[in-house]
Each structure stands twice: as structure tokens, then as C-alpha cells.
Amino acid sequence: MKKLSAFLIVVLSLMFLSSSSVSADHSWGGYHWARTSNPFTLKLGNNLTGGWVPYLSLASSDWTTSSVLDTTIVSGMGGKSCKATSGRVEVCNRKYGNNGWLGIAQIWVNGSHITQGITKMNDTYFSTSTYNTPAWKQMVMCQEVGHLFGLDHQDEAFDNTNMGTCMDYSNNPSRDDGMGDNLNPNAHDYEQLETIYAQLDSFSTVNQTFAQTMRQVASENGENASEWGRSIKDNGKVAVYERDFGFGNKIFTFVVWTQ
Ligand SMILES: [Zn+2]
Ligand SMILES: [Zn+2]
């Protein structure tokens, strides 16, 4: 009995350790793009205006450093509503209004596979003095694109040490606390991508047309929290929502709230 309880204490403390460790694993539920070989190339549709292109360019080249995936910027197909296109990603900006969010990234999944994604930068806030800075724009762009590969945040506290990755939320992304600023991915992000994309699939969702039962959302613009389904986590700075359409079809929405 004594042995058993000692064993249980070890197991429980291990469980606690793994759940409290912020950067050990930051894949988002193992969701990934299906592909038959690495590195695969994901198209990032450029629907950007107003000086946003350099931020996408840097995020694209930063993430392409990964050994398992490449990104290429192509002409946008999203249009004014930033409509998703199967097998690729659309990157958009606009004045989406005073809705509380600075940026969102949305991934459509079927089973464990990502089939399409979009990200939107809200110029209503990015045109204010607080957020109209290269650092804020780069962190949010880099982070949202990271979510589109299936990455979660490394850290979600806004007032602690910057970890040197855009996947770490910060109230001052350009500050270097000794591990670099939070404007680009770090080595741990690339390691996590290698883990997520270690196993190949027998088919591909990249550059493929995939008929999903979530077409009904095409009539919605996806800009309001009421369209995002249930909130899975939310600390007032970053949040993740899940909208479940059944049969393994879901849309996840990653949100960066304004401060
Ligand atoms: Zn797979
Ligand atoms: Zn995020």
C-alpha cells in the first residue's frame, strides 16, 4: 500500500509537471496538414494592403527556415471577406471594427488534418498609436501564421519574460529579456514543427480541393465571436475557440485580444 501511494505520488507529480510546463509541447492537438513528403510547401495568399506585405514576407521566410515545411506567397483569392480556399491559406487585413481582437487565425480541420486556413489583421486597432508599430505587426503576423501550421502558443502570460519567439504573447514584443525579442520563431518552434510533421500521410490536404460539410460558414464572415463556437481557453489576452460541425469537422479560431 505504501509502495502504491508512493507510485501514485510520482505519477501525479509527473502529470502536474507536464501540464505546467509551458514550452514542452505547443502543438495544437496534433492537427497538421496531410502531406506525403517533407518539406511540403504551403501557399500563403496575399490579400494585404496598407504596408502589411513586408510583415508577411518576413514571417514567410522565417517559418520557411523549418526543415519540414516551406511557405510561398501567392496572389490572394480571399476577396473582401477573406474567404478560405481549400488546400491553402489566405492572409488578410482590414478595418474589422471595434470587436476587441487584434488578429485571428482560423484553421478548418477534418479528423486530425488541416484543410484550409485564414488569418486577419484588424486595422481598426493597428491604425492606433498603441499597435501601429513594426513590433506589434510582426509578432501578430508571425504568431497567426504559426497557428496555421498547427502550433499553439509557447507561453500565454503577457507580463513575464519574453522567450524570444512570436509564439509567446507579450505586452512588449520588441523587448529582449536575454532570449531575443518576440518577433520571430525560435529553435523550439522549429523542433515542435518537426515533431508535428514527423509522420507522413498517404494523402495530401496541401493544394487539394477538399469538400467539407462546413461550407455553410461561407455565408458568414467569421469576424464575430458568436460565429466561433465554444471558448476552449481564454486569459483575456489570447483565446482559442472551437466550432464543431460533427463528423470530425471543426474550425479552430486563435484570437489575439487587444490589451
Ligand atoms: Zn496526418
Ligand atoms: Zn495566438
Side-chain angles (χ1 to χ4, degrees), residues 99-132:
N99 47 30
W101 55 261
L102 204 50
I104 56 171
Q106 295 182 302
I107 51 172
W108 279 246
V109 306
N110 174 258
S112 56
H113 296 123
I114 303 171
T115 60
Q116 59 188 21
I118 61 158
T119 180
K120 295 175 177 174
M121 309 293 141
N122 191 349
D123 282 337
T124 302
Y125 300 108
F126 279 114
S127 61
T128 66
S129 59
T130 308
Y131 297 111
N132 192 7

PDB file of all heavy atoms in Angstrom, residues 99-132:
ATOM      1  N   ASN A  99     -14.114  45.231 -32.394  1.00  0.00           N
ATOM      2  CA  ASN A  99     -14.628  43.943 -31.918  1.00  0.00           C
ATOM      3  C   ASN A  99     -13.746  43.327 -30.838  1.00  0.00           C
ATOM      4  O   ASN A  99     -14.012  42.224 -30.362  1.00  0.00           O
ATOM      5  CB  ASN A  99     -14.758  42.982 -33.104  1.00  0.00           C
ATOM      6  CG  ASN A  99     -13.495  43.001 -33.951  1.00  0.00           C
ATOM      7  OD1 ASN A  99     -12.414  43.246 -33.420  1.00  0.00           O
ATOM      8  ND2 ASN A  99     -13.616  42.762 -35.238  1.00  0.00           N
ATOM      9  N   GLY A 100     -12.663  44.022 -30.453  1.00  0.00           N
ATOM     10  CA  GLY A 100     -11.814  43.536 -29.371  1.00  0.00           C
ATOM     11  C   GLY A 100     -10.602  42.741 -29.815  1.00  0.00           C
ATOM     12  O   GLY A 100      -9.684  42.543 -29.032  1.00  0.00           O
ATOM     13  N   TRP A 101     -10.599  42.257 -31.064  1.00  0.00           N
ATOM     14  CA  TRP A 101      -9.436  41.452 -31.461  1.00  0.00           C
ATOM     15  C   TRP A 101      -8.510  42.180 -32.426  1.00  0.00           C
ATOM     16  O   TRP A 101      -8.918  42.876 -33.316  1.00  0.00           O
ATOM     17  CB  TRP A 101      -9.828  40.081 -31.989  1.00  0.00           C
ATOM     18  CG  TRP A 101     -10.811  40.003 -33.138  1.00  0.00           C
ATOM     19  CD1 TRP A 101     -12.147  39.749 -33.047  1.00  0.00           C
ATOM     20  CD2 TRP A 101     -10.527  40.147 -34.553  1.00  0.00           C
ATOM     21  NE1 TRP A 101     -12.708  39.727 -34.307  1.00  0.00           N
ATOM     22  CE2 TRP A 101     -11.745  39.966 -35.241  1.00  0.00           C
ATOM     23  CE3 TRP A 101      -9.369  40.410 -35.297  1.00  0.00           C
ATOM     24  CZ2 TRP A 101     -11.836  40.029 -36.643  1.00  0.00           C
ATOM     25  CZ3 TRP A 101      -9.468  40.489 -36.690  1.00  0.00           C
ATOM     26  CH2 TRP A 101     -10.680  40.296 -37.342  1.00  0.00           C
ATOM     27  N   LEU A 102      -7.240  41.929 -32.173  1.00  0.00           N
ATOM     28  CA  LEU A 102      -6.150  42.497 -32.963  1.00  0.00           C
ATOM     29  C   LEU A 102      -5.891  41.631 -34.189  1.00  0.00           C
ATOM     30  O   LEU A 102      -5.637  42.120 -35.287  1.00  0.00           O
ATOM     31  CB  LEU A 102      -4.920  42.521 -32.061  1.00  0.00           C
ATOM     32  CG  LEU A 102      -3.769  43.463 -32.280  1.00  0.00           C
ATOM     33  CD1 LEU A 102      -4.246  44.881 -32.442  1.00  0.00           C
ATOM     34  CD2 LEU A 102      -2.812  43.342 -31.083  1.00  0.00           C
ATOM     35  N   GLY A 103      -5.943  40.324 -33.966  1.00  0.00           N
ATOM     36  CA  GLY A 103      -5.738  39.382 -35.061  1.00  0.00           C
ATOM     37  C   GLY A 103      -6.400  38.063 -34.745  1.00  0.00           C
ATOM     38  O   GLY A 103      -6.547  37.699 -33.576  1.00  0.00           O
ATOM     39  N   ILE A 104      -6.842  37.367 -35.800  1.00  0.00           N
ATOM     40  CA  ILE A 104      -7.337  36.000 -35.619  1.00  0.00           C
ATOM     41  C   ILE A 104      -6.715  35.105 -36.688  1.00  0.00           C
ATOM     42  O   ILE A 104      -6.342  35.568 -37.775  1.00  0.00           O
ATOM     43  CB  ILE A 104      -8.888  35.878 -35.694  1.00  0.00           C
ATOM     44  CG1 ILE A 104      -9.441  36.448 -37.011  1.00  0.00           C
ATOM     45  CG2 ILE A 104      -9.543  36.540 -34.507  1.00  0.00           C
ATOM     46  CD1 ILE A 104     -10.935  36.153 -37.223  1.00  0.00           C
ATOM     47  N   ALA A 105      -6.576  33.832 -36.333  1.00  0.00           N
ATOM     48  CA  ALA A 105      -6.199  32.808 -37.303  1.00  0.00           C
ATOM     49  C   ALA A 105      -7.215  31.691 -37.180  1.00  0.00           C
ATOM     50  O   ALA A 105      -7.584  31.314 -36.067  1.00  0.00           O
ATOM     51  CB  ALA A 105      -4.798  32.279 -37.011  1.00  0.00           C
ATOM     52  N   GLN A 106      -7.697  31.201 -38.305  1.00  0.00           N
ATOM     53  CA  GLN A 106      -8.692  30.132 -38.274  1.00  0.00           C
ATOM     54  C   GLN A 106      -8.215  28.950 -39.111  1.00  0.00           C
ATOM     55  O   GLN A 106      -7.760  29.128 -40.244  1.00  0.00           O
ATOM     56  CB  GLN A 106     -10.035  30.637 -38.812  1.00  0.00           C
ATOM     57  CG  GLN A 106     -10.631  31.729 -37.918  1.00  0.00           C
ATOM     58  CD  GLN A 106     -11.989  32.213 -38.388  1.00  0.00           C
ATOM     59  OE1 GLN A 106     -12.115  32.681 -39.519  1.00  0.00           O
ATOM     60  NE2 GLN A 106     -12.985  32.115 -37.532  1.00  0.00           N
ATOM     61  N   ILE A 107      -8.291  27.763 -38.520  1.00  0.00           N
ATOM     62  CA  ILE A 107      -7.984  26.553 -39.282  1.00  0.00           C
ATOM     63  C   ILE A 107      -9.216  25.663 -39.346  1.00  0.00           C
ATOM     64  O   ILE A 107      -9.925  25.483 -38.359  1.00  0.00           O
ATOM     65  CB  ILE A 107      -6.776  25.766 -38.721  1.00  0.00           C
ATOM     66  CG1 ILE A 107      -6.912  25.488 -37.217  1.00  0.00           C
ATOM     67  CG2 ILE A 107      -5.458  26.485 -39.029  1.00  0.00           C
ATOM     68  CD1 ILE A 107      -5.837  24.539 -36.659  1.00  0.00           C
ATOM     69  N   TRP A 108      -9.465  25.120 -40.527  1.00  0.00           N
ATOM     70  CA  TRP A 108     -10.523  24.149 -40.753  1.00  0.00           C
ATOM     71  C   TRP A 108      -9.862  22.772 -40.652  1.00  0.00           C
ATOM     72  O   TRP A 108      -8.816  22.549 -41.290  1.00  0.00           O
ATOM     73  CB  TRP A 108     -11.100  24.298 -42.162  1.00  0.00           C
ATOM     74  CG  TRP A 108     -12.103  25.369 -42.370  1.00  0.00           C
ATOM     75  CD1 TRP A 108     -13.425  25.178 -42.676  1.00  0.00           C
ATOM     76  CD2 TRP A 108     -11.921  26.809 -42.363  1.00  0.00           C
ATOM     77  NE1 TRP A 108     -14.063  26.404 -42.834  1.00  0.00           N
ATOM     78  CE2 TRP A 108     -13.165  27.412 -42.648  1.00  0.00           C
ATOM     79  CE3 TRP A 108     -10.820  27.645 -42.138  1.00  0.00           C
ATOM     80  CZ2 TRP A 108     -13.345  28.787 -42.720  1.00  0.00           C
ATOM     81  CZ3 TRP A 108     -10.996  29.019 -42.209  1.00  0.00           C
ATOM     82  CH2 TRP A 108     -12.240  29.579 -42.490  1.00  0.00           C
ATOM     83  N   VAL A 109     -10.434  21.885 -39.870  1.00  0.00           N
ATOM     84  CA  VAL A 109      -9.841  20.553 -39.776  1.00  0.00           C
ATOM     85  C   VAL A 109     -10.878  19.482 -40.092  1.00  0.00           C
ATOM     86  O   VAL A 109     -12.085  19.670 -39.906  1.00  0.00           O
ATOM     87  CB  VAL A 109      -9.205  20.280 -38.386  1.00  0.00           C
ATOM     88  CG1 VAL A 109      -8.199  21.350 -38.012  1.00  0.00           C
ATOM     89  CG2 VAL A 109     -10.264  20.150 -37.306  1.00  0.00           C
ATOM     90  N   ASN A 110     -10.362  18.373 -40.583  1.00  0.00           N
ATOM     91  CA  ASN A 110     -11.168  17.168 -40.796  1.00  0.00           C
ATOM     92  C   ASN A 110     -10.381  16.029 -40.173  1.00  0.00           C
ATOM     93  O   ASN A 110      -9.272  15.743 -40.620  1.00  0.00           O
ATOM     94  CB  ASN A 110     -11.384  16.941 -42.288  1.00  0.00           C
ATOM     95  CG  ASN A 110     -12.100  15.623 -42.549  1.00  0.00           C
ATOM     96  OD1 ASN A 110     -11.478  14.644 -42.938  1.00  0.00           O
ATOM     97  ND2 ASN A 110     -13.393  15.580 -42.307  1.00  0.00           N
ATOM     98  N   GLY A 111     -10.928  15.416 -39.136  1.00  0.00           N
ATOM     99  CA  GLY A 111     -10.154  14.429 -38.389  1.00  0.00           C
ATOM    100  C   GLY A 111      -8.969  15.135 -37.760  1.00  0.00           C
ATOM    101  O   GLY A 111      -9.139  16.118 -37.053  1.00  0.00           O
ATOM    102  N   SER A 112      -7.762  14.659 -38.045  1.00  0.00           N
ATOM    103  CA  SER A 112      -6.579  15.321 -37.482  1.00  0.00           C
ATOM    104  C   SER A 112      -5.894  16.243 -38.487  1.00  0.00           C
ATOM    105  O   SER A 112      -4.812  16.749 -38.230  1.00  0.00           O
ATOM    106  CB  SER A 112      -5.597  14.260 -36.977  1.00  0.00           C
ATOM    107  OG  SER A 112      -5.272  13.375 -38.025  1.00  0.00           O
ATOM    108  N   HIS A 113      -6.539  16.451 -39.641  1.00  0.00           N
ATOM    109  CA  HIS A 113      -5.858  17.180 -40.716  1.00  0.00           C
ATOM    110  C   HIS A 113      -6.414  18.573 -40.966  1.00  0.00           C
ATOM    111  O   HIS A 113      -7.630  18.770 -41.008  1.00  0.00           O
ATOM    112  CB  HIS A 113      -5.911  16.352 -42.004  1.00  0.00           C
ATOM    113  CG  HIS A 113      -5.161  15.064 -41.854  1.00  0.00           C
ATOM    114  ND1 HIS A 113      -5.737  13.840 -42.057  1.00  0.00           N
ATOM    115  CD2 HIS A 113      -3.881  14.837 -41.472  1.00  0.00           C
ATOM    116  CE1 HIS A 113      -4.830  12.902 -41.812  1.00  0.00           C
ATOM    117  NE2 HIS A 113      -3.700  13.479 -41.449  1.00  0.00           N
ATOM    118  N   ILE A 114      -5.511  19.515 -41.158  1.00  0.00           N
ATOM    119  CA  ILE A 114      -5.886  20.877 -41.523  1.00  0.00           C
ATOM    120  C   ILE A 114      -6.145  20.893 -43.033  1.00  0.00           C
ATOM    121  O   ILE A 114      -5.362  20.330 -43.807  1.00  0.00           O
ATOM    122  CB  ILE A 114      -4.762  21.874 -41.165  1.00  0.00           C
ATOM    123  CG1 ILE A 114      -4.425  21.793 -39.656  1.00  0.00           C
ATOM    124  CG2 ILE A 114      -5.158  23.305 -41.554  1.00  0.00           C
ATOM    125  CD1 ILE A 114      -3.182  22.587 -39.254  1.00  0.00           C
ATOM    126  N   THR A 115      -7.256  21.510 -43.426  1.00  0.00           N
ATOM    127  CA  THR A 115      -7.614  21.518 -44.852  1.00  0.00           C
ATOM    128  C   THR A 115      -7.527  22.909 -45.474  1.00  0.00           C
ATOM    129  O   THR A 115      -7.368  23.036 -46.678  1.00  0.00           O
ATOM    130  CB  THR A 115      -9.050  20.994 -45.052  1.00  0.00           C
ATOM    131  OG1 THR A 115      -9.952  21.833 -44.325  1.00  0.00           O
ATOM    132  CG2 THR A 115      -9.178  19.560 -44.540  1.00  0.00           C
ATOM    133  N   GLN A 116      -7.646  23.945 -44.640  1.00  0.00           N
ATOM    134  CA  GLN A 116      -7.533  25.314 -45.138  1.00  0.00           C
ATOM    135  C   GLN A 116      -7.405  26.259 -43.955  1.00  0.00           C
ATOM    136  O   GLN A 116      -7.674  25.868 -42.809  1.00  0.00           O
ATOM    137  CB  GLN A 116      -8.736  25.707 -46.001  1.00  0.00           C
ATOM    138  CG  GLN A 116     -10.070  25.619 -45.281  1.00  0.00           C
ATOM    139  CD  GLN A 116     -11.273  25.828 -46.207  1.00  0.00           C
ATOM    140  OE1 GLN A 116     -11.177  25.668 -47.411  1.00  0.00           O
ATOM    141  NE2 GLN A 116     -12.399  26.215 -45.631  1.00  0.00           N
ATOM    142  N   GLY A 117      -6.985  27.493 -44.217  1.00  0.00           N
ATOM    143  CA  GLY A 117      -6.839  28.432 -43.109  1.00  0.00           C
ATOM    144  C   GLY A 117      -6.870  29.873 -43.594  1.00  0.00           C
ATOM    145  O   GLY A 117      -6.618  30.157 -44.771  1.00  0.00           O
ATOM    146  N   ILE A 118      -7.220  30.754 -42.687  1.00  0.00           N
ATOM    147  CA  ILE A 118      -7.165  32.186 -42.983  1.00  0.00           C
ATOM    148  C   ILE A 118      -6.608  32.919 -41.763  1.00  0.00           C
ATOM    149  O   ILE A 118      -6.675  32.416 -40.638  1.00  0.00           O
ATOM    150  CB  ILE A 118      -8.560  32.795 -43.307  1.00  0.00           C
ATOM    151  CG1 ILE A 118      -9.513  32.634 -42.116  1.00  0.00           C
ATOM    152  CG2 ILE A 118      -9.153  32.202 -44.565  1.00  0.00           C
ATOM    153  CD1 ILE A 118     -10.652  33.618 -42.151  1.00  0.00           C
ATOM    154  N   THR A 119      -6.079  34.096 -41.989  1.00  0.00           N
ATOM    155  CA  THR A 119      -5.742  34.957 -40.864  1.00  0.00           C
ATOM    156  C   THR A 119      -6.074  36.394 -41.225  1.00  0.00           C
ATOM    157  O   THR A 119      -5.966  36.807 -42.371  1.00  0.00           O
ATOM    158  CB  THR A 119      -4.278  34.776 -40.418  1.00  0.00           C
ATOM    159  OG1 THR A 119      -4.027  35.654 -39.317  1.00  0.00           O
ATOM    160  CG2 THR A 119      -3.294  35.060 -41.534  1.00  0.00           C
ATOM    161  N   LYS A 120      -6.546  37.128 -40.214  1.00  0.00           N
ATOM    162  CA  LYS A 120      -6.990  38.510 -40.412  1.00  0.00           C
ATOM    163  C   LYS A 120      -6.333  39.436 -39.391  1.00  0.00           C
ATOM    164  O   LYS A 120      -6.327  39.128 -38.201  1.00  0.00           O
ATOM    165  CB  LYS A 120      -8.520  38.605 -40.238  1.00  0.00           C
ATOM    166  CG  LYS A 120      -9.316  37.844 -41.283  1.00  0.00           C
ATOM    167  CD  LYS A 120     -10.802  37.890 -40.970  1.00  0.00           C
ATOM    168  CE  LYS A 120     -11.597  37.191 -42.064  1.00  0.00           C
ATOM    169  NZ  LYS A 120     -13.040  37.078 -41.750  1.00  0.00           N
ATOM    170  N   MET A 121      -5.803  40.556 -39.891  1.00  0.00           N
ATOM    171  CA  MET A 121      -5.215  41.586 -39.039  1.00  0.00           C
ATOM    172  C   MET A 121      -6.208  42.749 -38.977  1.00  0.00           C
ATOM    173  O   MET A 121      -6.635  43.247 -40.032  1.00  0.00           O
ATOM    174  CB  MET A 121      -3.895  42.107 -39.637  1.00  0.00           C
ATOM    175  CG  MET A 121      -2.899  41.020 -40.022  1.00  0.00           C
ATOM    176  SD  MET A 121      -2.248  40.150 -38.596  1.00  0.00           S
ATOM    177  CE  MET A 121      -2.214  38.479 -39.251  1.00  0.00           C
ATOM    178  N   ASN A 122      -6.539  43.173 -37.777  1.00  0.00           N
ATOM    179  CA  ASN A 122      -7.574  44.199 -37.625  1.00  0.00           C
ATOM    180  C   ASN A 122      -6.976  45.610 -37.608  1.00  0.00           C
ATOM    181  O   ASN A 122      -6.480  46.071 -36.572  1.00  0.00           O
ATOM    182  CB  ASN A 122      -8.384  43.936 -36.359  1.00  0.00           C
ATOM    183  CG  ASN A 122      -9.632  44.799 -36.303  1.00  0.00           C
ATOM    184  OD1 ASN A 122      -9.789  45.731 -37.105  1.00  0.00           O
ATOM    185  ND2 ASN A 122     -10.504  44.497 -35.367  1.00  0.00           N
ATOM    186  N   ASP A 123      -7.086  46.288 -38.738  1.00  0.00           N
ATOM    187  CA  ASP A 123      -6.524  47.634 -38.862  1.00  0.00           C
ATOM    188  C   ASP A 123      -7.244  48.679 -38.021  1.00  0.00           C
ATOM    189  O   ASP A 123      -6.733  49.780 -37.837  1.00  0.00           O
ATOM    190  CB  ASP A 123      -6.527  48.066 -40.330  1.00  0.00           C
ATOM    191  CG  ASP A 123      -5.379  47.437 -41.115  1.00  0.00           C
ATOM    192  OD1 ASP A 123      -4.376  47.050 -40.483  1.00  0.00           O
ATOM    193  OD2 ASP A 123      -5.495  47.341 -42.345  1.00  0.00           O
ATOM    194  N   THR A 124      -8.425  48.355 -37.528  1.00  0.00           N
ATOM    195  CA  THR A 124      -9.099  49.293 -36.619  1.00  0.00           C
ATOM    196  C   THR A 124      -8.170  49.584 -35.438  1.00  0.00           C
ATOM    197  O   THR A 124      -8.064  50.722 -34.973  1.00  0.00           O
ATOM    198  CB  THR A 124     -10.429  48.699 -36.106  1.00  0.00           C
ATOM    199  OG1 THR A 124     -11.252  48.392 -37.220  1.00  0.00           O
ATOM    200  CG2 THR A 124     -11.152  49.677 -35.175  1.00  0.00           C
ATOM    201  N   TYR A 125      -7.469  48.545 -34.959  1.00  0.00           N
ATOM    202  CA  TYR A 125      -6.518  48.723 -33.850  1.00  0.00           C
ATOM    203  C   TYR A 125      -5.096  48.987 -34.339  1.00  0.00           C
ATOM    204  O   TYR A 125      -4.357  49.737 -33.719  1.00  0.00           O
ATOM    205  CB  TYR A 125      -6.544  47.502 -32.934  1.00  0.00           C
ATOM    206  CG  TYR A 125      -7.901  47.259 -32.320  1.00  0.00           C
ATOM    207  CD1 TYR A 125      -8.686  46.189 -32.732  1.00  0.00           C
ATOM    208  CD2 TYR A 125      -8.414  48.133 -31.359  1.00  0.00           C
ATOM    209  CE1 TYR A 125      -9.953  45.976 -32.191  1.00  0.00           C
ATOM    210  CE2 TYR A 125      -9.677  47.928 -30.815  1.00  0.00           C
ATOM    211  CZ  TYR A 125     -10.441  46.850 -31.233  1.00  0.00           C
ATOM    212  OH  TYR A 125     -11.689  46.651 -30.703  1.00  0.00           O
ATOM    213  N   PHE A 126      -4.725  48.348 -35.455  1.00  0.00           N
ATOM    214  CA  PHE A 126      -3.361  48.537 -35.950  1.00  0.00           C
ATOM    215  C   PHE A 126      -3.135  49.948 -36.508  1.00  0.00           C
ATOM    216  O   PHE A 126      -2.015  50.303 -36.840  1.00  0.00           O
ATOM    217  CB  PHE A 126      -3.006  47.473 -36.996  1.00  0.00           C
ATOM    218  CG  PHE A 126      -2.582  46.165 -36.396  1.00  0.00           C
ATOM    219  CD1 PHE A 126      -3.353  45.020 -36.562  1.00  0.00           C
ATOM    220  CD2 PHE A 126      -1.405  46.069 -35.650  1.00  0.00           C
ATOM    221  CE1 PHE A 126      -2.964  43.810 -36.003  1.00  0.00           C
ATOM    222  CE2 PHE A 126      -1.007  44.864 -35.091  1.00  0.00           C
ATOM    223  CZ  PHE A 126      -1.789  43.736 -35.267  1.00  0.00           C
ATOM    224  N   SER A 127      -4.198  50.738 -36.617  1.00  0.00           N
ATOM    225  CA  SER A 127      -4.018  52.130 -37.028  1.00  0.00           C
ATOM    226  C   SER A 127      -3.936  53.071 -35.828  1.00  0.00           C
ATOM    227  O   SER A 127      -3.798  54.278 -35.983  1.00  0.00           O
ATOM    228  CB  SER A 127      -5.159  52.556 -37.968  1.00  0.00           C
ATOM    229  OG  SER A 127      -6.391  52.458 -37.287  1.00  0.00           O
ATOM    230  N   THR A 128      -4.023  52.507 -34.607  1.00  0.00           N
ATOM    231  CA  THR A 128      -3.881  53.343 -33.403  1.00  0.00           C
ATOM    232  C   THR A 128      -2.419  53.397 -32.967  1.00  0.00           C
ATOM    233  O   THR A 128      -1.627  52.509 -33.315  1.00  0.00           O
ATOM    234  CB  THR A 128      -4.722  52.781 -32.233  1.00  0.00           C
ATOM    235  OG1 THR A 128      -4.183  51.506 -31.842  1.00  0.00           O
ATOM    236  CG2 THR A 128      -6.185  52.603 -32.618  1.00  0.00           C
ATOM    237  N   SER A 129      -2.082  54.396 -32.176  1.00  0.00           N
ATOM    238  CA  SER A 129      -0.670  54.583 -31.813  1.00  0.00           C
ATOM    239  C   SER A 129      -0.114  53.405 -31.016  1.00  0.00           C
ATOM    240  O   SER A 129       1.071  53.097 -31.079  1.00  0.00           O
ATOM    241  CB  SER A 129      -0.498  55.896 -31.031  1.00  0.00           C
ATOM    242  OG  SER A 129      -1.301  55.866 -29.868  1.00  0.00           O
ATOM    243  N   THR A 130      -0.980  52.739 -30.247  1.00  0.00           N
ATOM    244  CA  THR A 130      -0.515  51.597 -29.446  1.00  0.00           C
ATOM    245  C   THR A 130       0.006  50.464 -30.325  1.00  0.00           C
ATOM    246  O   THR A 130       1.058  49.870 -30.046  1.00  0.00           O
ATOM    247  CB  THR A 130      -1.668  51.034 -28.576  1.00  0.00           C
ATOM    248  OG1 THR A 130      -2.235  52.114 -27.838  1.00  0.00           O
ATOM    249  CG2 THR A 130      -1.181  49.961 -27.614  1.00  0.00           C
ATOM    250  N   TYR A 131      -0.722  50.149 -31.374  1.00  0.00           N
ATOM    251  CA  TYR A 131      -0.407  48.944 -32.159  1.00  0.00           C
ATOM    252  C   TYR A 131       0.200  49.232 -33.529  1.00  0.00           C
ATOM    253  O   TYR A 131       0.634  48.303 -34.207  1.00  0.00           O
ATOM    254  CB  TYR A 131      -1.674  48.093 -32.333  1.00  0.00           C
ATOM    255  CG  TYR A 131      -2.218  47.596 -31.023  1.00  0.00           C
ATOM    256  CD1 TYR A 131      -3.423  48.080 -30.505  1.00  0.00           C
ATOM    257  CD2 TYR A 131      -1.505  46.659 -30.273  1.00  0.00           C
ATOM    258  CE1 TYR A 131      -3.911  47.627 -29.295  1.00  0.00           C
ATOM    259  CE2 TYR A 131      -1.983  46.211 -29.052  1.00  0.00           C
ATOM    260  CZ  TYR A 131      -3.182  46.700 -28.572  1.00  0.00           C
ATOM    261  OH  TYR A 131      -3.658  46.256 -27.362  1.00  0.00           O
ATOM    262  N   ASN A 132       0.227  50.485 -33.928  1.00  0.00           N
ATOM    263  CA  ASN A 132       0.792  50.806 -35.243  1.00  0.00           C
ATOM    264  C   ASN A 132       2.314  50.878 -35.148  1.00  0.00           C
ATOM    265  O   ASN A 132       2.932  51.910 -35.386  1.00  0.00           O
ATOM    266  CB  ASN A 132       0.209  52.120 -35.770  1.00  0.00           C
ATOM    267  CG  ASN A 132       0.550  52.333 -37.236  1.00  0.00           C
ATOM    268  OD1 ASN A 132       1.101  51.445 -37.894  1.00  0.00           O
ATOM    269  ND2 ASN A 132       0.236  53.518 -37.739  1.00  0.00           N
TER     270      ASN A 132
END
